[in-house]
Amino acid sequence: MAVAGLCVSLTAAQAKSDCALMQKLAQEHANSMAARNMMDHAGFEGRAARGAKAENAAYGVKTKAQAVAMWMASPPHAANMILPGCKAVASAVSRSGVHYWAMEIAKTSVPRHKRLAAH
């Protein structure tokens, strides 16, 4: 029987670890933006080195649903949201009351020798 494009999924422990790390990175970035009262991607290289492959940032909305809706309405941000890998969202509020949101998307790390390909 041929199997086309099947990848062995990450173990539950690996996935949980990736998601916990992405949540930590998202919270750190949201906190940083709120502390500086500035929405940006500052420090993404460091988050990438720790396992993030993409991120979304937003500000000015008060709920996660509103932040996600903003990202879905933007083609580049929506593209990030459909990437494979764990997605974690966090928020922080600046002293001036502005809500900052960060979404970190984990790199997928299925070892090459565990991938199955159709022949």
Side-chain angles (χ1 to χ4, degrees), residues 10 14-19 21-22 25 44-55 80 83-88 103-111 115:
L10 297 173
Q14 287 170 317
K16 186 175 181 179
S17 175
D18 282 351
C19 288
L21 176 58
M22 290 305 103
L25 295 178
F44 179 71
E45 297 81 13
R47 290 184 293 282
R50 294 170 63 194
K53 70 174 157 190
E55 74 180 9
N80 282 347
L83 291 170
C86 177
K87 291 146 192 82
M103 173 186 277
E104 299 296 330
I105 298 102
K107 295 175 184 172
T108 53
S109 57
V110 178
R115 295 180 188 160

Side-chain angles (χ1 to χ4, degrees), residues 4-65:
L6 177 67
C7 288
V8 176
S9 55
L10 297 173
T11 67
Q14 287 170 317
K16 186 175 181 179
S17 175
D18 282 351
C19 288
L21 176 58
M22 290 305 103
Q23 191 64 51
K24 180 178 180 354
L25 295 178
Q27 192 63 63
E28 288 173 358
H29 187 47
N31 292 346
S32 172
M33 290 188 295
R36 294 177 291 111
N37 212 27
M38 180 182 296
M39 185 194 76
D40 58 24
H41 295 283
F44 179 71
E45 297 81 13
R47 290 184 293 282
R50 294 170 63 194
K53 70 174 157 190
E55 74 180 9
N56 290 343
Y59 76 103
V61 295
K62 293 185 178 182
T63 69
K64 180 179 176 180

